Amino acid sequence: MLPGGMMPVTQLVAMIRSSPPKSAAGLLMAMPAERLPVVTAAMRPADVARLVPALRPESQRQLVHALGPDHLFEVIRTVPLEQATALLALVPPERLAPVVAGLSDSALAALLGSLPAAERQRIESVADPRREHRVLGLAYGDAIARALVRGNLEVTAERDTLLITKARWRVAVAARHGDDGRVAVRDAEDTAYRCRATGALAVTDVPAADDVLRYCREAREDGRPLSAVTWVDERHDGNLIRSVVSLFQ
């Protein structure tokens, strides 16, 4: 048999596709570096994505550099979030913008939510500013959902809001980035009405306006459980969970 560096590309790709991930990854990375772009170009994104977990970090870096722009984007979009995060960190600066541009708002939001601060800033620096509001809003909603799960609460998505269920109680949660509570309160109440929830919670990354807090207080006095809380990061998990629990009363 010809060594991997001399084997016809179609035959080598077929062998990689039929081998277990670890063996296939070893076969791919054993070939001469100059041949790697040719072989990966002949592979389907799903075939490449299958090998990513079996590659060591340095091999992942070699793979990222070998993949063409469209292939690189498709692979990052195909692999699970944890692996996509690792691959995105390996993308060189000059190739980052088109990869980020190709990701959907929801995919980009999920990635931003899983990245450390420095890498997040690197991604945001090349993202289209016109997407910023949508993406940050989605990322903030994802962060709130994770915070609620950390508080051992049962959370389900309800359109662009969240619904928490505990025994006979159901609390509608609207998380809104860059809002002073006015939009979040409206959306939380709308979801509570639509889903027949027993309470509603507005979550924002800036303190709620005085009139919003007053409105919430008056609603509670009228027997409509409604609250607003500020959440920026994990340091505020306690306040968030306590606000939810207060609406179960």
Side-chain angles (χ1 to χ4, degrees):
M1 181 184 296
L2 293 170
M6 301 294 292
M7 188 182 298
V9 170
T10 53
Q11 185 178 348
L12 183 56
V13 169
M15 182 177 293
I16 291 172
R17 187 176 294 165
S18 62
S19 300
K22 188 172 182 180
S23 298
L27 183 61
L28 181 66
M29 301 313 298
M31 70 181 60
E34 65 273 11
R35 201 158 188 240
L36 190 58
V38 178
V39 175
T40 53
M43 297 173 66
R44 296 176 303 190
D47 294 330
V48 179
R50 183 177 75 96
L51 307 185
V52 171
L55 295 173
R56 294 178 179 178
E58 185 52 41
S59 295
Q60 290 184 358
R61 184 182 299 278
Q62 288 179 257
L63 179 65
V64 165
H65 283 257
L67 290 169
D70 292 341
H71 243 49
L72 177 58
F73 163 68
E74 289 295 341
V75 169
I76 289 176
R77 193 174 67 168
T78 302
V79 298
L81 178 61
E82 182 179 351
Q83 293 162 19
T85 300
L87 291 181
L88 203 58
L90 301 175
V91 177
E94 66 274 11
R95 302 184 65 192
L96 188 59
V99 172
V100 171
L103 295 171
S104 67
D105 289 345
S106 58
L108 181 55
L111 282 166
L112 288 175
S114 65
L115 291 169
E119 186 61 22
R120 178 180 177 128
Q121 290 173 1
R122 189 173 84 104
I123 303 304
E124 290 176 343
S125 70
V126 300
D128 186 341
R130 292 171 294 184
R131 301 178 67 189
E132 183 176 8
H133 179 73
R134 297 193 305 273
V135 172
L136 289 179
L138 289 168
Y140 186 69
D142 290 345
I144 296 304
R146 290 194 297 271
L148 294 169
V149 170
R150 285 195 297 271
N152 295 316
L153 294 171
E154 182 181 337
V155 184
T156 56
E158 177 57 40
R159 298 183 186 177
D160 62 345
T161 54
L162 302 168
L163 199 61
I164 298 172
T165 304
K166 181 179 180 181
R168 64 183 180 86
W169 290 288
R170 302 176 85 199
V171 175
V173 178
R176 297 294 179 260
H177 185 272
D179 174 42
D180 65 358
R182 289 179 172 85
V183 174
V185 162
R186 179 201 66 198
D187 292 349
E189 285 195 298
D190 286 350
T191 299
Y193 178 78
R194 186 175 67 251
C195 298
R196 298 184 179 181
T198 50
L201 178 65
V203 187
T204 59
D205 62 320
V206 296
D210 289 342
D211 59 333
V212 170
L213 295 175
R214 182 168 58 251
Y215 177 79
C216 291
R217 184 171 60 252
E218 292 172 352
R220 291 194 297 273
E221 291 172 354
D222 290 340
R224 292 184 293 118
L226 174 66
S227 291
V229 65
T230 301
W231 187 96
V232 176
D233 53 37
E234 292 186 15
R235 295 172 300 174
H236 304 111
D237 279 9
N239 288 340
L240 175 64
I241 302 305
R242 283 191 291 271
S243 295
V244 173
V245 172
S246 72
L247 295 170
F248 291 150
Q249 307 303 318

